[in-house]
Amino acid sequence: MSCCRRVTDVGISDIAMRCPQLQYIDVSGSQMDDDGEDGYHQIDMHAQGNATDTAIQVIAEHCPRLTYLNVSSCPGVTDIGLVSITEHCRQLQCLEMSACISITDKTVLAITKHCRQFESLLASECVQLTSRSINALIKFCPRLENVQLATCHYMAQLNFDPELEEFSKSECDSMSIEDCKFGTSTNNISCSTSCLSKKHSKAMPTAFVQYSLGFRALKHLNLSCCSKIANDSLRQIGMHCKYLQLILLYGCHRITDKGIEYIVKGCPYLQHISLECLRMHRSKLTDLSLLDIADHCQHLQYLNIRGAVQFSKEYISKVVNSCHKLTKLRCTMEVKGDIFQYLFLPREPCKAELEGQLSWSLKYHPHYGNPVKQCHLMFEFKPNTQSRR
């Protein structure tokens, strides 16, 4: 039912009540590609779904086997409807709610509490989400693999470290071990290793093992245009998301070489990296970031460093020749002569395209000096099967 402009709550509710075995429901208002190469997309603000909380609550009550729900671009859907989904549809694995501007942390925290099989959250343009709920989601959903948060401007200070709270013996004895492991109110571990309750002591090692592995499954993370993301968040990702394969940091202008070092050293299986910067903000990255990528990202297949014109050709070439699996590179540089013949030797591109031209550079400010014209370039390579010397 995606993009069906004439379908309203009445039709959606009727289908839900007549088809209680439904597992996949899409009532979104527009087709949105949250899994694009660089994590940004255009949203048709005129394409909105008609679904509201009324229909979503009917789905929750009549479709308990639901595993996938897409309500993207449905402004009438709020926390009321989605929290009801998490309470009744405990098998929910994927929720797409991009451009639902009324959604807050309540929905995400409800997922961490009720949906233990949850795997994928697409929440780009959900501008009221904060890092508080995302921290809990990544900590306590052990199967979580995909998180898309483009343009969530309140996303800052990601923190996946354990947060332990001390409870007295009477408090621990009065709660079940499940509640002791995962506090129902805070979604944090609420029983430390010094728990005084004897009935909990044997279970504590299991609790901490489950906690420590809870966010290891994360493979795809999109933080594009999250303007408050900085090095402290990248340090947490590098420490706790060892198996990360894709990270999108388009427009994250606060990160520096140190943040990239945290990521590439802590996530050795990275295949897809986007570091493109916006024209309104100057990138703080230098050749040191490319050096770290060349040394640590041996599985890298895609790299986007467009707009970061301070990268030198020598270090770009080093990445290309060190990352043997690299098949696509997007970059920005001054073009003099036929760069396609000498820049990346011995790995020559099998395809090269001019993707755009801009008139600014590191040396000259576009408003106060004579700008050097730079070009956006895209190169494609064949995988290099030669072993690294």
Side-chain angles (χ1 to χ4, degrees), residues 29 100 147 160 206 264-265 286 300 371:
C100 291
V147 179
F160 312 139
T206 303
V264 299
K265 288 185 177 181
T286 70
L300 189 65

Side-chain angles (χ1 to χ4, degrees), residues 37-206:
E37 285 185 333
D38 299 298
Y40 53 89
H41 49 262
Q42 293 182 344
I43 299 175
D44 185 356
M45 299 306 294
H46 299 288
Q48 296 182 344
N50 296 321
T52 70
D53 288 334
T54 301
I56 301 305
Q57 287 178 306
V58 173
I59 292 173
E61 294 174 2
H62 292 87
C63 302
R65 297 188 178 184
L66 189 70
T67 60
Y68 172 92
L69 177 63
N70 188 348
V71 294
S72 298
S73 297
C74 291
V77 176
T78 70
D79 292 325
I80 296 173
L82 294 183
V83 169
S84 180
I85 288 288
T86 65
E87 293 174 348
H88 293 85
C89 306
R90 301 297 182 96
Q91 299 178 38
L92 187 68
Q93 297 177 11
C94 178
L95 175 61
E96 297 192 31
M97 56 182 191
S98 298
C100 291
I101 59 176
S102 298
I103 302 300
T104 71
D105 287 338
K106 291 181 180 179
T107 292
V108 180
L109 291 174
I111 291 173
T112 66
K113 181 177 180 180
H114 301 295
C115 304
R116 307 304 298 171
Q117 301 180 41
F118 196 74
E119 297 178 358
S120 179
L121 176 68
L122 280 72
S124 297
E125 298 284 348
C126 291
V127 293
Q128 296 194 56
L129 290 184
T130 72
S131 52
R132 172 174 170 262
S133 63
I134 300 304
N135 289 341
L137 181 75
I138 295 178
K139 286 179 183 181
F140 298 108
C141 290
R143 297 187 180 184
L144 187 67
E145 294 187 358
N146 181 29
V147 179
Q148 305 285 330
L149 300 168
T151 324
C152 293
H153 294 294
Y154 290 110
M155 209 57 54
Q157 295 184 333
L158 297 178
N159 188 348
F160 312 139
D161 290 333
E163 298 178 10
L164 307 181
E165 300 176 4
E166 294 290 344
F167 281 78
S168 66
K169 180 178 179 180
S170 59
E171 288 175 313
C172 285
D173 280 334
S174 64
M175 64 176 68
S176 66
I177 184 61
E178 287 78 12
D179 289 338
C180 195
K181 282 190 272 185
F182 303 102
T184 56
S185 59
T186 63
N187 287 286
N188 293 329
I189 294 180
S190 57
C191 192
S192 71
T193 51
S194 59
C195 172
L196 300 177
S197 174
K198 292 183 179 180
K199 69 178 183 179
H200 294 176
S201 60
K202 293 182 180 181
M204 286 313 297
T206 303

Side-chain angles (χ1 to χ4, degrees), residues 34 38-43 123-129 147-156 221-230 234 247-255 274-281 304:
D34 280 89
D38 299 298
Y40 53 89
H41 49 262
Q42 293 182 344
I43 299 175
S124 297
E125 298 284 348
C126 291
V127 293
Q128 296 194 56
L129 290 184
V147 179
Q148 305 285 330
L149 300 168
T151 324
C152 293
H153 294 294
Y154 290 110
M155 209 57 54
L221 181 60
N222 181 358
L223 297 172
S224 296
C225 296
C226 293
S227 55
K228 295 184 179 180
I229 290 294
L234 299 192
I247 186 163
L248 305 179
L249 298 170
Y250 165 75
C252 296
H253 62 276
R254 298 191 181 192
I255 61 176
S274 176
L275 303 174
E276 182 175 353
C277 68
L278 298 169
R279 291 190 64 178
M280 65 184 70
H281 294 115
N304 184 349

Side-chain angles (χ1 to χ4, degrees), residues 286-321:
T286 70
D287 287 335
L288 291 177
S289 292
L290 293 188
L291 183 61
D292 283 328
I293 291 173
D295 289 341
H296 298 284
C297 297
Q298 298 309 301
H299 298 277
L300 189 65
Q301 299 177 17
Y302 175 93
L303 176 64
N304 184 349
I305 50 174
R306 292 201 327 175
V309 295
Q310 58 270 48
F311 289 150
S312 66
K313 297 178 182 178
E314 292 75 17
Y315 282 88
I316 294 175
S317 182
K318 182 176 179 60
V319 170
V320 173
N321 293 310

